[in-house]
Amino acid sequence: MTVSLSLLVAAAVLNAVGASLLLTRSLTRILLGAVVLGNGVNLLVLASTGSAGEAPLLYPYIIRNRVTDPLPQAIALTAIVITLATTAFLLAMAYRSHQVTGSDEISDDTEDRLVALRAEFLDRRGELRERYREARAEDGGADAEQRARYRAARKRLRRRVREERAYQARANDVSGNLWNDILGADPEDYREGRELGSTDAAGRPGPAPARVAGPSNDPEETGREPDSLPGEDSCHPPPDQPDDPEGAGTEGTR
Amino acid sequence: MNALVPLPVLLPLCVTGLKLAIGPRLHRFQRFISIAVLGAVLVLSVILMVAADRHGPLSVHLGDFAPPVGITLVADRLAGLMLTVSSAVTLLVLVYSLGQGMADRDDQAPVGVFHPAYLILVAGVSCTFLAGDLVNLYVGFEIMLVASFVLLTIGGTATRIRAGSTYVIISLFSSVLFLVAIAMTYAVAGTVNLAQLAERLQEVPLGARTLLEAMLLTVFAIKAAVFPLAAWLPDSYPTAPAPVTAVFAGLLTKVGVYSMLRTQTLLFPGHRLGDLLMLAALASMAVGILGAVAQTDLKRVLSFTLISHIGYMVFGIALAGRGSIAGAIVYVAHHITVQTTLFLVAGLIERRDGTTELTRLGGLAKAAPLLAVLFFVPAMNLAGIPPLSGFIGKLGLMRAGVADGGGWAWALVAGSAATSLLTLYVMAKVWNLAFWRDAPPGAEEEGLVLESAEDDDPDDDPDDGERPTGSGSGLPVPAGAVVAAGFLGQSITTTQRLPWPMVVATGAAVSLGLSYTVLGGPLTTFTQAAATELLARTPYIEAVLGR
């Protein structure tokens, strides 16, 4: 069996492009990746025919061994139809994702975030406690100011955990309006906050933007300007300085 | 008799068409035809299973094209058994979901979206079990997957869309890989008919054959959630409505296992990649069960035990002896039933208490004794306590492993024993937390592990701990990562009295699991015969190619 090299090269390029698009976070890019990948694989299926021949129409006097094998074409047609259906579904999903979260990017698993946050929380707390005890041992007693600082830092840490949890809990909440839940509310409603019950983590009306509404992006909580690039790290809340006692101290004297 | 073979695929599809034509009207009639068609599929499956047992594999060439060209559907003993178990389970889950939908009075939604998608899923699963060629297997997978996309994201809430996108992308990738494997198979062997492939692949060079085997195994391992390819499962399953999760956990992964069983025995006898499979099986068992130990949400615990118990079936397939294949078949039937039942019970718990988070549950044994019994029996069955069917399956597999006597086989026997014990541990933990202990005080307020890990500092003043009242908006916020969601994602309705169809369906599923014990003798004989048939290969090939 001889196969046209150009077919194989084209299939390889399409597959490579499709696969790398599939690895991104944005659903729209993934959609494009799925389409390109589907085409690449269809070319591969066609390549399994071998060299091209005449059209596989069985009229009289046709020389049967010069006809192209029609079976891979049938397989490719089936695959095209299936790709079409999947693409339509992905498109709908990207649109719906945009509607409910304000972006079509896939966020991390909430349970994964929880596990990561738990580890980080315990680490940070241990560190704080360690430092506080050291300081106390040096001074030979609990200094009121230090104590206040320590407590303030701990309080912030706890608040952050609670924020995260509230965010997660709210991500699960929807309006309860059946019609909107199936068909989707008007995006305009979301923007103006008219959609009942869809509030983000901070209680602001409107859809919770997946990344901006994450914890520790509020100037009050972190003691610094809100992230100008909130999308940089969606997996873990960015490490924020004020958790350490020094930062807490400057804030406490204010 | 052969004319009955396509019906398990055709009937649900036709009824789906009818339903879509009717639209959101005539709810009683719609419910009636859904149950009627699944009941009919169950009866047909039993007939097919008995017929395949008596007269050997039944095959149908659709459109009367000669075997290697047209589409062939084959029902042998294995396919018959799988069809019977799957249709029984899908029927029960449908009754359960009707109970849930009726009690919530959201009549339109389930009938309008859920029922057609569900019936298409059943058709897809049947198509996969009956497929006689690789392309038809692919099409069956796709029918099943597209329906499952709809079911998993039903309601379109933010969590379900997020969980759904992982699932959709993974499924899409495995489908593409499957197509590549089909293209390569066709290029190498010039056919996609399984029976003809079984003959022709023997003459194919060893390297090409191993490559095909590895590709098909990868595809099916993604579907079956075997360890290195299983990370998508606990991420995507727990967010769906309870009946959907139940049927997914029970059936969809087993369809992957079935395909593995079919292709490994029919196309690649001599199991060149057996050692690799054994390694994957061992890793699945270990990683899955350790994951289950770490989880605190019942649905996630069950998802992880699902992964670990897939390892048992892969173990049976990897050994590829008569006893081990028979053990794997018993285990598939047992596991479909038990896993579905456990997820149904989780749905009942969620319905009663609004959550499946174990740290917030408690006192259920006293408050709901029936629920406790419904959980206890399948939980012990999963762990493999002797009279129950889990024990029969595990015993068969371990005996086959000991008889094989290789180093890997012994490692797997030890691994499966340890996994059984750990499963028992996990189930006992769930039992203790959710059923046995008193209801945790303040569970209403805050119950997450994070919170309980928080205030144990001796240096801390009690007065500075502001009481958690939620955040930002000042509204009380329910703790717990997986907040219960109802059928279409609205906040779940909790009721002290559980709707009777849900309880009856769960009870029936529990008794189906128990019936494998009662029918243990016939079941073992049947699976031994099925394994012999699979390993002999000639009955299948002759039935299809008509020699």
Side-chain angles (χ1 to χ4, degrees):
Chain A
M1 187 173 83
T2 50
V3 182
S4 143
L5 184 66
S6 57
L7 214 55
L8 285 183
V9 169
V13 170
L14 285 178
N15 280 344
V17 170
S20 52
L21 276 174
L22 215 56
L23 292 173
T24 54
R25 257 178 193 267
S26 156
L27 270 178
T28 317
R29 280 164 197 265
I30 291 171
L31 173 82
L32 293 175
V35 174
V36 174
L37 196 61
N39 285 335
V41 173
N42 286 338
L43 282 187
L44 261 187
V45 174
L46 280 187
S48 69
T49 323
S51 52
E54 289 169 24
L57 299 171
L58 293 184
Y59 49 86
Y61 313 118
I62 191 160
I63 305 159
R64 292 212 174 193
N65 50 15
R66 267 205 230 149
V67 166
T68 313
D69 187 355
L71 196 73
Q73 299 179 1
I75 297 175
L77 271 179
T78 316
I80 288 172
V81 174
I82 290 172
T83 315
L84 176 75
T86 320
T87 309
F89 187 83
L90 261 176
L91 200 57
M93 211 163 63
Y95 177 63
R96 180 67 183 161
S97 173
H98 172 72
Q99 252 185 358
V100 284
T101 63
S103 79
D104 68 341
E105 309 223 334
I106 303 165
S107 54
D108 293 293
D109 185 16
T110 44
E111 200 81 359
D112 284 354
R113 283 180 68 140
L114 195 75
V115 171
L117 186 74
R118 188 153 70 202
E120 200 187 307
F121 174 85
L122 292 176
D123 265 12
R124 189 69 61 87
R125 193 186 62 181
E127 198 182 307
L128 275 177
R129 194 179 297 169
E130 194 74 15
R131 256 193 255 178
Y132 174 61
R133 282 192 185 140
E134 263 174 33
R136 208 171 50 167
E138 275 175 25
D139 296 357
D143 181 357
E145 192 200 339
Q146 257 175 9
R147 209 177 159 75
R149 254 196 245 157
Y150 172 62
R151 263 164 31 192
R154 278 184 52 104
K155 208 186 250 180
R156 252 193 305 283
L157 196 56
R158 266 205 299 273
R159 196 181 297 160
R160 233 187 71 199
V161 169
R162 227 169 281 137
E163 283 273 306
E164 170 75 19
R165 207 168 40 227
Y167 167 67
Q168 287 174 3
R170 270 166 206 285
N172 289 287
D173 276 346
V174 286
S175 61
N177 180 338
L178 237 166
W179 180 255
N180 285 354
D181 283 347
I182 298 175
L183 294 175
D186 194 337
E188 293 302 317
D189 282 358
Y190 275 92
R191 211 160 293 144
E192 292 167 25
R194 266 188 282 150
E195 179 55 20
L196 194 75
S198 64
T199 48
D200 66 7
R204 287 183 293 258
R211 288 175 168 186
V212 186
S216 74
N217 194 31
D218 195 345
E220 270 186 38
E221 305 302 331
T222 56
R224 68 190 156 113
E225 290 302 306
D227 287 336
S228 48
L229 288 171
E232 270 185 353
D233 186 356
S234 68
C235 177
H236 306 293
D240 41 357
Q241 287 75 29
D243 268 350
D244 62 311
E246 282 75 24
T250 55
E251 202 182 323
T253 53
R254 202 161 55 196
Chain B
M1 185 59 79
N2 283 15
L4 294 181
V5 175
L7 286 184
V9 184
L10 276 183
L11 279 183
L13 282 182
C14 291
V15 171
T16 309
L18 181 64
K19 273 174 172 298
L20 291 177
I22 293 175
R25 282 177 287 148
L26 304 175
H27 299 307
R28 283 175 164 246
F29 176 65
Q30 294 231 23
R31 282 192 207 112
F32 171 73
I33 52 174
S34 301
I35 291 197
V37 73
L38 287 189
V41 170
L42 175 60
V43 173
L44 278 172
S45 310
V46 174
I47 293 176
L48 285 179
M49 179 172 74
V50 173
D53 193 29
R54 295 231 177 109
H55 313 297
L58 311 167
S59 78
V60 169
H61 313 304
L62 297 183
D64 210 15
F65 284 105
V69 180
I71 291 174
T72 315
L73 295 179
V74 192
D76 61 350
R77 286 196 181 93
L78 173 64
L81 180 69
M82 298 295 289
L83 269 180
T84 307
V85 175
S86 75
S87 50
V89 163
T90 44
L91 180 62
L92 292 177
V93 173
L94 183 73
V95 173
Y96 181 95
S97 71
L98 285 180
Q100 190 172 357
M102 275 195 295
D104 288 347
R105 303 202 186 284
D106 49 12
D107 282 348
Q108 296 88 345
V111 175
V113 182
F114 179 75
H115 281 202
Y118 191 78
L119 291 182
I120 292 178
L121 182 86
V122 174
V125 170
S126 307
C127 183
T128 322
F129 288 152
L130 291 173
D133 60 77
L134 275 182
V135 176
N136 205 16
L137 191 68
Y138 167 75
V139 172
F141 266 131
E142 289 302 315
I143 297 175
M144 183 182 89
L145 284 179
V146 171
S148 72
F149 295 164
V150 175
L151 289 176
L152 196 70
T153 55
I154 199 167
T157 64
T159 6
R160 284 186 191 161
I161 290 289
R162 201 215 68 80
S165 34
T166 319
Y167 179 74
V168 170
I169 294 160
I170 290 286
S171 308
L172 204 112
F173 182 73
S174 78
S175 302
V176 165
L177 212 57
F178 199 178
L179 260 185
V180 175
I182 289 175
M184 286 162 75
T185 313
Y186 193 77
V188 164
T191 178
V192 285
N193 187 300
L194 285 178
Q196 211 177 12
L197 271 178
E199 289 180 337
R200 287 203 190 166
L201 275 180
Q202 302 311 309
E203 293 135 32
V204 164
L206 191 64
R209 204 164 70 203
T210 312
L211 178 66
L212 288 181
E213 185 182 358
M215 286 202 66
L216 286 177
L217 274 180
T218 313
V219 172
F220 299 142
I222 294 177
K223 313 262 188 208
V226 178
F227 162 59
L229 307 168
W232 56 272
L233 191 143
D235 197 5
S236 51
Y237 276 11
T239 51
V244 173
T245 318
V247 78
F248 279 22
L251 278 184
L252 297 202
T253 47
K254 305 313 175 303
V255 172
V257 173
Y258 165 82
S259 316
M260 234 186 238
L261 197 54
R262 175 70 75 200
T263 49
Q264 282 297 299
T265 51
L266 189 61
L267 302 188
F268 309 106
H271 58 285
R272 195 167 152 72
L273 293 178
D275 285 354
L276 192 66
L277 267 184
M278 290 209 209
L279 182 63
L282 191 62
S284 295
M285 285 182 194
V287 173
I289 202 66
L290 291 179
V293 168
Q295 298 297 319
T296 57
D297 182 87
L298 179 55
K299 283 185 175 178
R300 286 182 77 97
V301 168
L302 292 178
S303 302
F304 274 99
T305 57
L306 171 59
I307 294 175
S308 100
H309 284 244
I310 293 290
Y312 285 99
M313 298 162 224
V314 178
F315 170 32
I317 296 170
L319 278 183
R322 182 162 165 268
S324 73
I325 296 282
I329 298 173
V330 174
Y331 209 87
V332 171
H334 145 82
H335 199 248
I336 289 178
T337 318
V338 165
Q339 198 70 41
T340 310
T341 316
L342 282 172
F343 271 107
L344 290 182
V345 177
L348 286 179
I349 295 176
E350 188 178 55
R351 174 143 198 108
R352 195 179 174 285
D353 287 347
T355 180
T356 49
E357 177 67 39
L358 292 173
T359 48
R360 302 174 73 206
L361 289 171
L364 279 176
K366 217 179 261 175
L370 180 62
L371 195 57
V373 172
L374 287 182
F375 176 79
F376 188 75
V377 176
M380 290 303 110
N381 201 346
L382 186 70
I385 298 297
L388 301 168
S389 57
F391 175 71
I392 303 177
K394 288 185 175 100
L395 184 70
L397 287 172
M398 285 192 189
R399 276 169 75 172
V402 171
D404 183 85
W408 275 112
W410 275 107
L412 269 158
V413 169
S416 39
T419 309
S420 295
L421 284 177
L422 280 172
T423 310
L424 186 61
Y425 165 72
V426 170
M427 287 299 137
K429 190 176 124 185
V430 172
W431 174 258
N432 279 339
L433 286 177
F435 292 92
W436 211 244
R437 67 167 176 176
D438 295 331
E444 297 302 311
E445 201 184 340
E446 290 283 329
L448 217 59
V449 183
L450 261 179
E451 200 68 37
S452 61
E454 212 169 279
D455 274 315
D456 60 342
D457 191 351
D459 296 335
D460 206 12
D461 276 345
D463 59 33
D464 76 343
E466 40 187 330
R467 272 328 318 148
T469 54
S471 66
S473 61
L475 289 168
V477 170
V482 180
V483 170
F487 217 97
L488 288 168
Q490 75 275 33
S491 346
I492 196 164
T493 337
T494 55
T495 40
Q496 287 296 308
R497 276 182 62 103
L498 297 165
W500 64 265
M502 294 170 80
V503 178
V504 168
T506 317
V510 171
S511 3
L512 182 64
L514 289 178
S515 75
Y516 297 149
T517 307
V518 180
L519 300 174
L523 184 69
T524 318
T525 326
F526 184 86
T527 49
Q528 291 282 356
T532 315
E533 188 181 79
L534 280 178
L535 290 174
R537 307 201 303 152
T538 38
Y540 189 96
I541 298 174
E542 280 170 8
V544 174
L545 299 181
R547 283 182 217 139

